[in-house]
Amino acid sequence: MAAAVPLDLAHPAAFGAALTAIAGFLDVVAYVTFSHLYVSFMSGNSIHLGMSLATLRVSDIAAISGVVAAFVFGAAAGTLLQDHAGPRLLPLALGIEAGLLLIAAAASSVTHSTLCLLPVAMAMGLQNVLHQMSGKTSVGKGFVSGALVRLGQSIARLRSREPDPSGTATLFVGWMAFVAGAAGGALLIAPLGLVACLLLAAGVLVALLIADFLCY
């Protein structure tokens, strides 16, 4: 597997936290709008899928399976991009993510079908292969359970021969960013609606793209 491409930004941990906040934000927006579906938290979708299989809810099975497949496709596409994009991986990935969210926003302005979630799930799958590194700590992902396990491990090793306090702080900030993003989604989905929330998330990605360009 190709090595992770270093960030161009001066503060990779802060950048990763911003991506994680976007994942939490979009998860709540999707959860509230589309019958408890997620776009980055595939563990939750897998549990939901199992429950739907047990009760033979065909429409739910189809919707969840589509979102999971889109997420996996996005992760595969992101991996290909990671293997071939070189040092410009970050701006390319951000541009594609923003474009996918704009497509979802356009589709959502026409229909509120769960098909609108597929571009968002693809964007989140792509984002998960951006292994933003701060020391030995991977940030910027939506896989919260694994991040909390790594946080516990990092805390346990603070008194070891090779402590990583900055990594511990990065993991904690990443989790807090996900929670903050989720809180933001919960607060904004009702007053703004789905389309505006998708446009807001796309705008944040564009702002990060501009920041990367200015720091390059």
Side-chain angles (χ1 to χ4, degrees), residues 3 9 22 46 54 92-93 99 120 126 135 137-138 142-144 166 175 182 191-192 206 214:
L9 293 175
I22 291 172
S46 298
L92 283 172
V120 186
L126 188 152
T137 305
S138 180
F143 186 50
V144 179
S166 63
W175 175 71
L192 295 184
V206 171
L214 294 175

Side-chain angles (χ1 to χ4, degrees), residues 60 62 84 99 112 140 157 187 198:
D60 287 351
H84 300 288
H112 274 244
R157 292 170 180 158
L187 289 171
L198 290 173

